[in-house]
Amino acid sequence: MLYAVRLALITLATAIALPASLSYAAGEGRTPKPVIKIENADTKCVAPPEEMRRNHMEMLKHQRDETLREGIRGEPVSLNRCINCHASKQTGSVLGSNENFCQTCHAYVAVKLDCWDCHQPKANYKARVTNGAAPASHDKAASTMGAMK
Amino acid sequence: MNEQTQMDKAGADKADAARRKFVGAVAAAGAVGGVAALAPGLHLIQVSQATPTPRAAGEAASNKVRWGMLIDTSKCDSGCTDCVKACATENGINETVKDARQASQWIRKIDIKEPKTDHTHSLPMMCQHCAEPPCVDVCPTGASMKRADGIVLVDRHTCIGCRYCMMACPYKARSFVHEALTEQNPEVPRGIGCVESCNFCVTRVDKGMEPACVETCTKAGHNAMLFGDLNDPNSEISRRIAQQATTQVRADLKLNLGVRYQGI
Amino acid sequence: MMNIIQDSRKEERLFYVLLALGGLVTALGGAAALYMEHAGHVVTGMTNQVVWGVPHVFAIFLIIAASGVLNVASIGSVFGKKLYKPRAPLSGLLCLTMLASGLAIIMLDLGRADRLIVAMTHFNPTSVFGWNVILYPGMFGIVGVYLWTLMEKKMNPWSKPVGFAAFLWRLALTTGTGSIFGFLVARQAYHSAVLAPMFIIMSFAWGLAVFMIVQKTMYAWNGVSVPDLVRSRMKNLLGTFIAAVLYFVIVYHLTNLYFAKQTAFEQFILINGGIFPLLFWGGYLFIGTLLPLFLIYHPAIAAIKGSVFVAAALVIVGAFCQLYVFIIGGQAFPLEIFPGMTVSSTFYDGQIEHYVPSLPEMLLGIGGIGLAFVMTVIGVRVLHFMPQDDLAKLQAGGHVLD
């Protein structure tokens, strides 16, 4: 009885795992492969694609300190230049769908993109002009400090 | 009699003309001399529009320069918020907030009243870019930093959002971003969970421009704000500080501020 | 000889019930932290004026009490009082669990809690928070080694020097915690050197109160009562510490009034600040100081069973009230940028902030307590931390009056 149960379990496990592993080995897993669409194909990136794929994180990390902490401008590595070139012509951004440049690979390898919490992913973006950041709900009457004194 | 009057009149006219000519000559001499005395070798227009020069590409900020600001509060009107609006536009501070106390304000107008005399005046308050910033001292990761040219700013790559710098700042200059942002200006990255403050529009300064607030105040004709290099004795700001009395806010803390005020 | 058995069936069932309850509270705290991190601090009551809220009140209580609870072990190892020696392992365990939970709350409240690795790899030596990155893990290490010297027989001779090291490290750590506030030169509530010793004395009082509550509860769950001598020695010590804290609180307020001339701020905290005077006079002074002192020192009342337990619990209530007034009251009062002037602005200069704690903040704070509880329960279950008193032996040896 126990032997039968064990046999059934092993068969079931194999039936599930084997096709998945075979297809993974053949290069077709469940996760959709990245769609790398180069929008401005006639221009050149700062380095060849193989080097960019391996090193773009190091390049960006090194450059961000040079730019921000030391104030060095005009270097070839610039996040805004990357975005302006690589942003999808449909969405105008490097994020938003799994066909967009940064998101497509990062979704595949499941590496969280921390940059876009602060950096603007839309290319050539003109931030919305405000009529002033002063919040409207402030009551300009005498402050409570005056009342206390 | 008519002839006499005519002759007198002619004489008087001649005298008038001569007087006018003389006055005109003196005035002209005075103007030329005055301009010459005021700014040897410089035109008036050049003096009032002295701006930072852009740094060469690849060149780091250096401590040969120290950026500072001078604010003449006598020219500052209580109802005017041009500098605040300019800052918000330039830096992409455009999010709508539910609780106004959680809204970011890099620069704000403060209305000050002397309780005994009821004298009021108004001034813009922003990060004072101290030479000895308490915010830089207390930041655990070194995200709050002072650049070589004196600009104090937050490196948002390293900021963990602990808000200790907000506790330490004597001027309440820092704001915390309470919510996710999507409409940032590409030149001014800012985002959720990080602390931020006025950075003298560092991207503009590096391009040779003035901070947005100063430029807007000048263009609107108020001329209450002046930006320049405190280390250059010939800059407009250095000369004004050397000639006229200026105050640092909370000078008792001895932080050696980059922002000075007149009229308080 | 009094031997306390820890492996009964009843205890086992109790363990799982406690684990489930504590786990639930901790899970709620965890869920609150996740919500806050995902939605941002917009869902909290914290603003650009009150930047540290209720989670910090809980966290600082836990951290200070953690430092102070190790006092019980120090009195045994460093000051040689034999009566306290059997309590040292439990004291060490409580130190570890409360410190871990306090830190967990602080770290989960960060605006970018995902950047903890950044915090550990970027070090600013001028920052007290930066020193804490060294002091807190160091504390874990030293207390861990100390527990090892206590519980492994052949390491016992080392317990005295390691205990001494733990004692010194603890003083440095609590001074650091007080200095977090003491070094804020611009704030009326905080810029004072008296905060460092005040935090140390507060740690002694709160740590002992926590220890007494845990000890009494553990004894009760094992069907034993705390020996009279232990009870009376600890209650008198608690009374001394409560009085010492009161002394420092008085000195702190007098300093603010007479030396720093912060009359407006003191008026706000002590008289017309609404919730803050209520919590100070009613919460800290009456409930947290006078009432426990009365319960401890009144000869007839002190003899009543449970009165000392209640006194310890009241001290903890008073501690939370005191920390709320200190941390939040100190921020709610507007920063004085132009001394002597009346100010107003769109950034709420010159305005008192009416901070209202939100539910996620409360859950995060309480979840921290839950975490300390769960870790203590598991620790006590896995290792024998129950103080094993051998009173007959102590009395025979004449060591009791040390």
Side-chain angles (χ1 to χ4, degrees):
Chain A
M1 176 65 179
L2 200 55
Y3 174 76
V5 169
R6 275 191 223 155
L7 186 62
L9 275 171
I10 291 171
T11 317
L12 194 63
T14 317
I16 294 170
L18 196 60
S21 343
L22 282 177
S23 71
Y24 179 73
E28 282 171 29
R30 286 176 303 162
T31 322
K33 289 288 267 293
V35 173
I36 304 174
K37 185 159 183 280
I38 303 296
E39 293 288 358
N40 296 311
D42 50 339
T43 55
K44 258 191 146 130
C45 195
V46 293
E50 304 75 43
E51 197 188 316
M52 286 307 284
R53 276 183 201 164
R54 281 198 197 294
N55 297 333
H56 70 279
M57 53 293 268
E58 271 308 309
M59 292 161 82
L60 285 171
K61 196 170 167 195
H62 180 70
Q63 188 59 46
R64 78 183 191 192
D65 286 337
E66 284 201 350
T67 303
L68 199 152
R69 302 196 87 102
E70 296 173 47
I72 297 175
R73 305 270 177 190
E75 297 282 277
V77 177
S78 151
L79 190 61
N80 278 343
R81 275 183 52 199
C82 305
I83 299 167
N84 289 340
C85 194
H86 280 292
S88 148
K89 291 234 166 25
Q90 281 120 317
T91 62
S93 162
V94 294
L95 292 185
S97 87
N98 278 353
E99 265 93 59
N100 284 147
F101 185 73
C102 299
Q103 189 168 325
T104 189
C105 287
H106 275 264
Y108 180 71
V109 299
V111 173
K112 181 179 167 198
L113 281 170
D114 199 29
C115 335
W116 313 111
D117 284 341
C118 285
H119 284 276
Q120 176 58 256
K122 301 196 265 286
N124 300 310
Y125 187 68
K126 292 280 178 285
R128 179 163 53 91
V129 173
T130 68
N131 57 0
S137 57
H138 172 67
D139 172 18
K140 283 224 159 112
S143 71
T144 43
M145 246 184 100
M148 270 175 57
K149 284 211 157 88
Chain B
M1 200 62 145
N2 263 347
E3 256 174 73
Q4 185 66 29
T5 333
Q6 263 177 354
M7 262 182 70
D8 281 347
K9 223 167 147 228
D13 285 345
K14 246 165 113 176
D16 276 346
R19 204 172 44 245
R20 267 183 236 121
K21 244 170 102 175
F22 176 74
V23 169
V26 167
V32 169
V35 171
L38 180 68
L42 281 174
H43 293 294
L44 272 169
I45 291 172
Q46 211 171 340
V47 163
S48 67
Q49 281 184 349
T51 48
T53 48
R55 262 207 318 285
E59 191 190 325
S62 108
N63 60 1
K64 291 201 198 72
V65 169
R66 187 188 170 192
W67 296 119
M69 208 184 267
L70 177 62
I71 295 171
D72 186 351
T73 65
S74 67
K75 300 202 177 96
C76 204
D77 181 29
S78 176
C80 174
T81 52
D82 285 351
C83 51
V84 177
K85 291 191 204 136
C87 172
T89 309
E90 165 68 23
N91 294 304
I93 308 175
N94 49 24
E95 57 270 15
T96 40
V97 283
K98 276 191 306 214
D99 182 350
R101 299 173 302 177
Q102 291 176 338
S104 280
Q105 285 223 269
W106 294 17
I107 184 174
R108 67 209 189 257
K109 289 294 298 297
I110 299 188
D111 291 319
I112 306 177
K113 186 165 83 160
E114 161 85 55
K116 300 269 186 305
T117 63
D118 274 357
H119 170 76
T120 55
H121 52 265
S122 167
L123 52 76
M125 171 61 61
M126 73 295 278
C127 169
Q128 304 286 287
H129 296 276
C130 317
E132 324 252 330
C135 62
V136 173
D137 282 339
V138 301
C139 177
T141 59
S144 178
M145 54 169 274
K146 189 178 72 156
R147 216 167 70 156
D149 56 1
I151 295 184
V152 176
L153 62 152
V154 177
D155 180 355
R156 291 183 190 76
H157 306 115
T158 340
C159 176
I160 55 174
C162 72
R163 288 104 69 202
Y164 197 15
C165 60
M166 295 174 74
M167 291 287 267
C169 179
Y171 307 102
K172 206 185 169 189
R174 292 237 154 136
S175 302
F176 181 62
V177 180
H178 289 76
E179 211 166 6
L181 305 176
T182 51
E183 308 294 316
Q184 303 99 322
N185 178 349
E187 301 272 295
V188 185
R190 44 188 295 260
I192 186 176
C194 286
V195 175
E196 52 182 17
S197 62
C198 159
N199 55 17
F200 272 170
C201 287
V202 63
T203 321
R204 289 171 58 105
V205 167
D206 286 350
K207 285 191 203 145
M209 300 194 272
E210 291 181 313
C213 51
V214 177
E215 189 182 82
T216 304
C217 187
T218 310
K219 279 212 175 101
H222 312 307
N223 295 310
M225 300 173 87
L226 178 65
F227 180 78
D229 179 4
L230 293 170
N231 277 355
D232 174 12
N234 289 323
S235 69
E236 164 86 6
I237 190 175
S238 299
R239 274 189 276 116
R240 286 233 329 239
I241 288 176
Q243 286 160 7
Q244 299 159 19
T246 57
T247 331
Q248 296 182 27
V249 179
R250 292 291 322 258
D252 60 306
L253 294 175
K254 299 194 183 67
L255 299 171
N256 187 358
L257 308 181
V259 177
R260 287 167 180 260
Y261 291 83
Q262 286 179 297
I264 55 169
Chain C
M1 190 172 115
M2 189 169 76
N3 225 329
I4 300 158
I5 308 149
Q6 270 192 272
D7 301 317
S8 66
R9 268 242 73 138
K10 179 178 151 214
E11 219 234 41
E12 201 175 321
R13 250 203 314 266
L14 185 63
F15 168 71
Y16 285 112
V17 168
L18 292 176
L19 198 62
L21 286 172
L24 180 66
V25 172
T26 314
L28 283 173
L34 205 62
Y35 177 56
M36 273 166 60
E37 212 231 321
H38 185 70
H41 275 64
V42 66
V43 301
T44 70
M46 293 183 242
T47 64
N48 283 324
Q49 181 154 336
V50 175
V51 304
W52 285 350
V54 158
H56 285 80
V57 171
F58 278 86
I60 292 185
F61 171 78
L62 282 169
I63 291 172
I64 293 183
S67 157
V69 83
L70 199 60
N71 221 13
V72 173
S74 297
I75 299 176
S77 297
V78 176
F79 299 104
K81 304 288 181 194
K82 297 256 186 320
L83 195 65
Y84 288 84
K85 284 206 168 126
R87 285 147 229 304
L90 180 61
S91 155
L93 174 71
L94 281 170
C95 176
L96 289 178
T97 59
M98 292 208 292
L99 190 60
S101 329
L103 285 177
I105 299 179
I106 293 253
M107 288 189 226
L108 289 171
D109 180 61
L110 288 176
R112 299 220 61 130
D114 52 317
R115 289 201 178 151
L116 224 47
I117 305 256
V118 171
M120 291 194 278
T121 50
H122 290 68
F123 179 68
N124 177 9
T126 61
S127 161
V128 182
F129 270 19
W131 302 345
N132 287 345
V133 171
I134 296 180
L135 286 171
Y136 291 158
M139 189 77 189
F140 283 121
I142 289 188
V143 175
V145 171
Y146 181 53
L147 281 176
W148 178 39
T149 63
L150 289 173
M151 302 184 74
E152 179 160 345
K153 271 233 148 37
K154 70 169 190 274
M155 292 299 295
N156 280 347
W158 289 99
S159 69
K160 195 170 163 97
V162 178
F164 193 66
F167 177 69
L168 289 178
W169 196 274
R170 181 158 66 81
L171 288 181
L173 187 144
T174 321
T175 305
T177 312
S179 304
I180 288 175
F181 296 95
F183 284 2
L184 297 178
V185 291
R187 297 240 168 206
Q188 300 100 307
Y190 303 137
H191 68 125
S192 173
V194 84
L195 289 179
M198 187 165 110
F199 271 55
I200 290 191
I201 280 293
M202 289 185 335
S203 80
F204 288 177
W206 303 349
L208 186 59
V210 168
F211 185 85
M212 286 164 72
I213 288 182
V214 172
Q215 175 180 254
K216 170 81 189 267
T217 319
M218 277 179 67
Y219 272 68
W221 284 337
N222 283 279
V224 194
S225 69
V226 178
D228 282 334
L229 203 56
V230 172
R231 179 182 187 271
S232 87
R233 293 284 287 263
M234 286 197 154
K235 108 176 149 62
N236 288 335
L237 190 60
L238 183 64
T240 314
F241 287 157
I242 295 172
V245 173
L246 181 62
Y247 167 76
F248 269 100
V249 169
I250 293 174
V251 168
Y252 162 76
H253 283 287
L254 283 179
T255 311
N256 260 353
L257 279 168
Y258 286 91
F259 295 97
K261 294 226 176 342
Q262 304 287 1
T263 9
F265 170 69
E266 287 292 317
Q267 242 186 328
F268 172 71
I269 291 288
L270 299 175
I271 300 175
N272 54 17
I275 178 117
F276 301 109
L278 184 68
L279 286 176
F280 179 79
W281 296 108
Y284 162 69
L285 195 64
F286 182 68
I287 294 179
T289 303
L290 298 176
L291 207 49
L293 283 175
F294 177 72
L295 290 171
I296 285 171
Y297 285 121
H298 191 287
I301 310 264
I304 299 175
K305 258 173 102 61
S307 63
V308 170
F309 181 85
V310 170
L314 291 177
V315 166
I316 293 179
V317 170
F320 275 94
C321 296
Q322 186 183 6
L323 275 179
Y324 191 93
V325 172
F326 181 72
I327 295 175
I328 293 173
Q331 298 172 78
F333 191 75
L335 191 58
E336 207 174 37
I337 305 177
F338 298 96
M341 302 287 191
T342 311
V343 295
S344 77
S345 81
T346 51
F347 206 33
Y348 300 92
D349 289 281
Q351 282 211 335
I352 291 166
E353 165 117 349
H354 297 290
Y355 165 77
V356 175
S358 64
L359 184 63
E361 291 171 78
M362 298 294 299
L363 285 178
L364 178 59
I366 298 171
I369 307 256
L371 182 62
F373 180 77
V374 165
M375 291 198 289
T376 308
V377 163
I378 293 177
V380 161
R381 172 89 182 143
V382 165
L383 294 167
H384 288 143
F385 281 107
M386 187 76 183
Q388 301 289 341
D389 295 302
D390 190 0
L391 271 180
K393 231 182 177 178
L394 284 173
Q395 270 168 345
H399 292 300
V400 162
L401 290 171
D402 261 347

